[in-house]
């Protein structure tokens, strides 16, 4: 969001509006007014907390927050979201605080966005756009860059269309054909072509990643993904466990690209730990779609490590947000360890017991100070040992005690006899699978 660093959205959509920012030296941060809306029965504290997170997002994107405003409304209006009177008020506010842009905590429709921009005469963006902007700034690898550009273009497409059509009145009227419309068609076509090209580039990068993942799987060892709300301490934990040297910062979305490190457990079992992109309340859909490849680390993992910042007063809501995303990618039922992180920051009554009641396999921890790592490793060993793995076995009759044990502790999928051998397909706890590994059939 710094001037002179146009994002894709900026260059396509905001070309005219960025120049409305007067009196700011090049290189200076943009001055932002944040807008929250307290609808009907929403609690004020909740709106304030969400606005606090928006302020963090704005700062992460490189803006200076000069004012935060909450408007009360029974329900949003189709034209301006906050209603015409409030938009006027907003225009005044922007003038007084010499703001360059307005950021809404709620998502605006393309029409609402354009209407508010029309009155306020400042760039207006919503939560989704600011998250997309941060991702665009932070993307480092080719894959992440492709994914974010794709997400931005999907977000742009309806806005591009309507931005131009609002200049015309009725289809067929004077001025609805001609260069404006041709330009629109060309822009739309260009964006669609680019989306198409990005999709095929992403597919080829994905194939490469899938091959890498397969190679890793072959080398045995189970996989676990570190997941959680952004800034919860996932990378700090990965570093504490494996000296991975991943960047840790008190900012949102520090990690975009997955880093995988091997952790050797005390029982000599190896597990591959992947650090992944953080989740956030209302993670834009375009991002979930585009980051599916990155999130595949999560969907393919044998086990999840949910890092939760329990020193955050909104920890319960954060946990729910994480589970919403997990449900969306079909991973909510995976075996999970919940790391109750940042206990060093807890003041007052400890929420640990409360979380233990609502979350499975909890480990209180301070990843930063290395507290709780031993208990975490023990839990990880225990859960990995319980995981079911599919095996194909050929067991000689002389070893039939193993067949009985497999029936008792695992799920037998199929069983056949061949000469003196028993051929089995079965799901077994990893521990038992290791014991019978001599009988694995190729
Ligand atoms: N006090 C305290 N701070 C912590 C702890 N763990 C992490 N932090 C701090 O929390 C901030 C975020 O840590 P990261 O490890 O970057 O968090 P992350 O979950 O990887 O964040 P993203 O990659 O941005 O999603 C940093 O300032 C860390 O130093 C902890 O146990 N205690
Ligand atoms: Mg991180």
């Amino acid at each position: 969001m710094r001037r002179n660093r146009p994002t894709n959205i900026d260059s396509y959509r905001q070309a005219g509006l960025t120049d409305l920012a007067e009196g700011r030296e090049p290189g200076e941060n943009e001055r932002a007014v944040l807008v929250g809306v307290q609808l009907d029965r929403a609690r004020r504290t909740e709106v304030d907390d969400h606005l606090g997170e928006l302020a963090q997002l704005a700062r992460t994107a490189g803006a200076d927050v000069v004012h935060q405003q909450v408007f009360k409304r029974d329900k949003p209006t189709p034209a301006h979201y906050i209603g015409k009177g409030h938009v006027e008020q907003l225009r005044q506010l922007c003038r007084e605080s010499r703001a360059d842009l307005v950021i809404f905590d709620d998502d605006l429709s393309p029409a609402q966005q354009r209407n508010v921009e029309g009155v306020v005469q400042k760039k207006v963006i919503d939560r989704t756009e600011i998250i997309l902007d941060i991702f665009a700034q932070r993307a480092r690898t080719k894959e992440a860059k492709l994914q974010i550009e794709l997400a931005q273009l999907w977000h742009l497409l309806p806005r591009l269309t309507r931005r131009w059509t609002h200049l015309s009145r009725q289809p067929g009227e004077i001025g609805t054909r001609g260069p404006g419309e041709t330009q629109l068609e060309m822009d739309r076509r260009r964006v669609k072509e680019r989306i198409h090209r990005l999709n095929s580039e992403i597919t080829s990068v994905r194939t490469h990643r899938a091959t890498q993942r397969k190679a890793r799987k072959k080398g045995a060892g189970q996989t676990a993904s570190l997941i959680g709300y952004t800034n919860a301490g996932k990378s700090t934990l990965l570093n504490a466990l494996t000296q991975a040297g991943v960047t840790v910062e008190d900012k949102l979305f520090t990690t975009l690209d997955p880093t995988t490190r091997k952790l050797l457990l005390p029982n000599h079992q190896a597990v591959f730990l992947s650090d992944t992109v953080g989740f956030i309340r209302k993670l834009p859909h375009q991002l979930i779609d585009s980051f599916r490849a990155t999130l595949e680390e999560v969907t393919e993992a044998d086990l999840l490590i949910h890092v939760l910042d329990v020193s955050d007063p909104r920890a319960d809501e954060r946990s729910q947000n994480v589970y919403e995303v997990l449900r969306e990618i079909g991973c909510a039922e995976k075996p999970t360890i919940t790391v109750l992180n940042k206990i060093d920051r807890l003041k007052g009554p400890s929420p640990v017991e409360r979380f233990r009641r609502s979350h499975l396999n909890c480990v209180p921890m301070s990843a930063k100070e290395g507290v709780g790592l031993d208990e975490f490793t023990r839990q990880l060993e225990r859960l990995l040992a319980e995981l079911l793995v599919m095996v194909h076995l050929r067991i000689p009759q002389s070893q039939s005690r193993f067949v009985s044990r497999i029936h008792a502790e695992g799920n037998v999928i199929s069983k056949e006899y061949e000469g003196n051998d028993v051929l089995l397909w079965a799901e077994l706890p990893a521990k038992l699978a290791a014991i019978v590994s001599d009988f694995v059939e190729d």
Side-chain angles (χ1 to χ4, degrees):
M1 290 197 37
R2 278 189 188 88
R3 217 165 145 82
N4 306 333
R5 192 201 53 75
T7 62
N8 294 312
I9 285 184
D10 276 336
S11 55
Y12 281 108
R13 190 174 75 84
Q14 309 285 5
L17 283 166
T18 38
D19 296 332
L20 290 171
E22 293 154 17
R24 184 159 41 83
E25 296 297 320
E28 240 178 72
N29 287 346
E30 286 181 74
R31 297 164 62 82
V33 166
L34 309 187
V35 177
V37 183
Q38 189 182 355
L39 289 172
D40 197 21
R41 257 169 274 156
R43 273 179 301 139
R44 177 61 192 244
T45 48
E46 199 177 337
V47 181
D48 285 341
D49 281 341
H50 290 167
L51 221 49
E53 183 177 82
L54 187 70
Q56 244 182 317
L57 285 167
R59 282 187 215 108
T60 301
D64 290 339
V65 177
V66 292
H67 188 83
Q68 302 191 16
Q69 181 69 35
V70 175
F71 291 115
K72 265 185 108 159
R73 279 214 72 88
D74 287 345
K75 56 178 195 290
T77 67
H80 294 92
Y81 197 84
I82 51 175
K84 211 150 186 243
H86 285 147
V87 184
E88 271 304 324
Q89 216 178 318
L90 184 60
R91 188 169 70 98
Q92 195 59 31
L93 261 171
C94 287
R95 191 178 298 157
E96 283 163 13
S97 54
R98 292 187 298 110
D100 304 302
L101 87 154
V102 178
I103 310 173
F104 274 72
D105 191 43
D106 301 75
D107 287 336
L108 301 182
S109 72
Q112 288 165 337
Q113 193 172 15
R114 193 185 53 236
N115 292 343
V116 178
E117 261 173 7
V119 178
V120 177
Q121 284 296 297
K122 300 287 172 206
K123 184 161 64 170
V124 173
I125 62 177
D126 59 21
R127 208 166 177 282
T128 295
E129 260 174 294
I130 197 129
I131 294 173
L132 290 173
D133 190 276
I134 295 171
F135 272 62
Q137 287 188 46
R138 306 223 145 187
R140 292 286 170 270
T141 61
K142 185 174 174 205
E143 186 177 11
K145 284 182 184 160
L146 294 172
Q147 286 168 342
I148 179 65
E149 190 182 346
L150 188 64
Q152 284 186 308
L153 289 178
W154 275 123
H155 187 77
L156 166 72
L157 209 53
R159 283 161 178 79
L160 180 75
T161 311
R162 293 183 202 163
R163 173 165 182 228
W164 285 82
T165 45
H166 84 283
L167 297 176
S168 59
R169 274 147 288 164
Q170 293 292 318
E173 271 189 18
I174 296 169
T176 59
R177 291 157 297 212
E181 208 51 9
T182 316
Q183 180 65 45
L184 164 66
E185 286 309 319
M186 266 170 50
D187 283 355
R188 268 211 303 236
R189 191 152 17 94
R190 261 184 34 218
V191 170
K192 280 186 177 161
E193 275 167 15
R194 181 81 191 129
I195 286 176
H196 186 72
R197 217 162 341 121
L198 282 172
N199 268 327
S200 56
E201 277 187 60
I202 288 173
T203 309
S204 83
V205 179
R206 266 179 205 183
T207 316
H208 178 66
R209 179 196 285 287
T211 322
Q212 277 183 333
R213 196 184 302 115
K214 244 190 216 149
R216 225 163 44 213
K217 279 226 137 168
K218 248 190 165 167
Q222 288 155 307
T223 55
S225 268
L226 289 151
I227 52 134
Y229 209 78
T230 179
N231 215 38
K234 303 176 290 297
S235 302
T236 307
L237 177 56
L238 182 72
N239 288 344
L241 292 166
T242 69
Q243 286 79 47
V246 175
T247 308
V248 164
E249 251 187 307
D250 195 9
K251 283 196 169 173
L252 307 184
F253 301 118
T254 306
T255 309
L256 282 196
D257 299 301
T259 300
T260 302
R261 289 286 180 276
K262 190 169 162 180
L263 171 67
L264 203 59
L265 294 166
N267 67 359
H268 304 294
Q269 190 183 350
V271 53
F272 289 97
L273 292 183
S274 295
D275 188 12
T276 55
V277 62
F279 299 165
I280 198 165
R281 185 175 74 92
K282 297 207 287 178
L283 190 64
H285 271 274
Q286 297 96 337
L287 276 180
I288 297 187
D289 284 344
S290 317
F291 273 73
R292 226 164 257 285
T294 312
L295 293 171
E296 266 167 27
E297 293 290 339
V298 180
T299 50
E300 299 263 328
D302 296 310
L303 185 130
L304 301 183
I305 299 159
H306 175 192
V307 183
L308 186 60
D309 174 358
V310 284
S311 73
D312 184 332
R314 303 203 78 83
D316 292 275
E317 189 187 325
R318 304 279 184 254
S319 171
Q320 282 168 22
N321 298 144
V322 166
Y323 274 92
E324 275 157 30
V325 180
L326 288 180
R327 269 193 292 278
E328 203 153 331
I329 58 173
C331 293
E333 306 298 326
K334 268 191 198 285
T336 304
I337 296 181
T338 312
V339 171
L340 306 175
N341 197 29
K342 306 199 187 180
I343 49 162
D344 57 294
R345 286 179 59 180
L346 284 178
K347 293 186 194 87
S350 166
V352 166
E353 284 316 310
R354 189 164 51 80
F355 281 109
R356 278 193 200 280
R357 283 195 289 275
S358 53
H359 292 70
L360 286 172
N361 312 312
C362 287
V363 184
M365 183 182 289
S366 167
K368 194 171 173 181
E369 295 181 357
V371 176
L373 291 175
D374 288 344
E375 190 189 336
F376 170 80
T377 319
R378 274 198 299 276
Q379 285 260 23
L380 187 60
E381 258 184 14
R382 183 180 64 77
L383 270 184
L384 287 173
E386 284 173 8
L387 284 180
L388 292 181
V389 287
M390 181 69 88
V391 287
H392 188 202
L393 303 171
R394 177 183 288 273
I395 303 177
Q397 221 168 28
S398 58
Q399 306 287 336
S400 60
R401 62 198 161 94
F402 285 114
V403 179
S404 335
R405 191 161 167 195
I406 287 165
H407 272 289
E409 296 176 34
N411 303 320
V412 174
I413 313 289
S414 74
K415 186 175 172 186
E416 283 170 42
Y417 294 90
E418 211 176 271
N420 284 334
D421 297 342
V422 183
L423 282 170
L424 283 175
W425 275 105
E427 268 183 340
L428 303 181
K431 215 169 165 180
L432 180 55
I435 294 172
V436 295
S437 60
D438 284 348
F439 305 121
V440 168
E441 178 84 334
D442 289 330

